[in-house]
Amino acid sequence: MTASSTSSAPSLRLENAHTGEILELRRRRRGNETWLELSGSLPPGREGPPMHIHYAEDEAGEVAAGTLTAHVGGKQVEIATGGAVRLPMGIAHRWWNAGDQPLVFNGTARPLVDLDRYLQATFEVLNAGPPGRPPLFYIAHVALRHRQTQHVIVMPAPLQAVLFRAVVAIGTVLGKYRGTDWPGCPARCGGAPEVSDGEA
């Protein structure tokens, strides 16, 4: 956890060592609702996350600099600086920076379920392997435990669940998940700090 570069409120800072993507996350509570605030950046010509679905959280945001290109529900869109984007729950989407300027964006995911914990674990696993090849035992563990809320579309969800259950079973036998010193360990991935409405 670090202090955000744009705010005095605490945030969880994640960085993908392969793509240069940076995310700063904080939980915001207002009344009975909690949502996730996201601030992020992606260097020119870099891919964001692969095609994925959030089953329980709506994402919405604004492009602060650069241009965001996205596939949302089978359509490609481009959002320039100052433009808004909505990535509804249950709709497959991916995004990237096809431009020659850094992409900077701010947004929210609401209602927050587990996106911050999922991202924290996923970034750990991605950084533990070579580009494009996250360690299978650990990415399977993350995907399996978040399968009700998050899904990366690499294969049909039922088939992925069966395959990843087998991988996690083998990993358990091999001792891959002993202790807390392994990529994406849930004991270390507690999510973003929560701030009140009075904090910037």
Side-chain angles (χ1 to χ4, degrees):
M1 194 180 340
T2 65
S4 166
S5 59
T6 58
S7 167
S8 60
S11 66
L12 172 67
R13 187 177 190 274
L14 306 175
E15 182 169 359
N16 184 320
H18 305 304
T19 66
E21 179 185 358
I22 295 174
L23 287 177
E24 292 201 17
L25 311 174
R26 64 178 63 84
R27 293 176 174 227
R28 174 79 60 180
R29 178 176 289 276
R30 178 173 294 168
N32 293 326
E33 185 184 14
T34 300
W35 65 86
L36 186 65
E37 293 180 341
L38 307 96
S39 298
S41 63
L42 187 66
R46 295 297 182 94
E47 293 286 329
M51 192 71 77
H52 62 283
I53 298 173
H54 309 296
Y55 291 122
E57 294 151 324
D58 280 317
E59 285 185 291
E62 180 180 288
V63 176
T67 301
L68 182 146
T69 306
H71 276 298
V72 184
K75 296 180 180 177
Q76 183 166 315
V77 296
E78 283 194 358
I79 299 94
T81 301
V85 61
R86 183 169 177 265
L87 306 170
M89 69 175 75
I91 302 296
H93 61 276
R94 62 182 285 261
W95 56 269
W96 64 96
N97 183 358
D100 57 7
Q101 299 294 321
L103 169 63
V104 180
F105 54 89
N106 301 295
T108 60
R110 56 198 304 177
L112 176 62
V113 180
D114 65 349
L115 183 57
D116 55 341
R117 295 191 301 273
Y118 174 75
L119 289 171
Q120 187 177 11
T122 299
F123 271 62
E124 269 200 14
V125 174
L126 292 173
N127 288 334
R133 294 179 58 196
L136 181 58
F137 286 114
Y138 306 118
I139 201 67
H141 198 283
V142 173
L144 199 58
R145 72 179 188 257
H146 291 278
R147 68 189 179 281
Q148 301 298 325
T149 53
Q150 318 291 340
H151 176 59
V152 174
I153 304 173
V154 293
M155 63 185 73
L159 178 59
Q160 181 173 292
V162 170
L163 174 62
F164 283 176
R165 279 192 186 97
V167 170
V168 169
I170 293 168
T172 301
V173 170
L174 295 176
K176 297 289 187 181
Y177 312 120
R178 289 187 190 133
T180 60
D181 192 25
W182 49 274
C185 173
R188 281 202 326 278
C189 298
E194 186 172 296
V195 297
S196 70
D197 262 354
E199 295 179 85

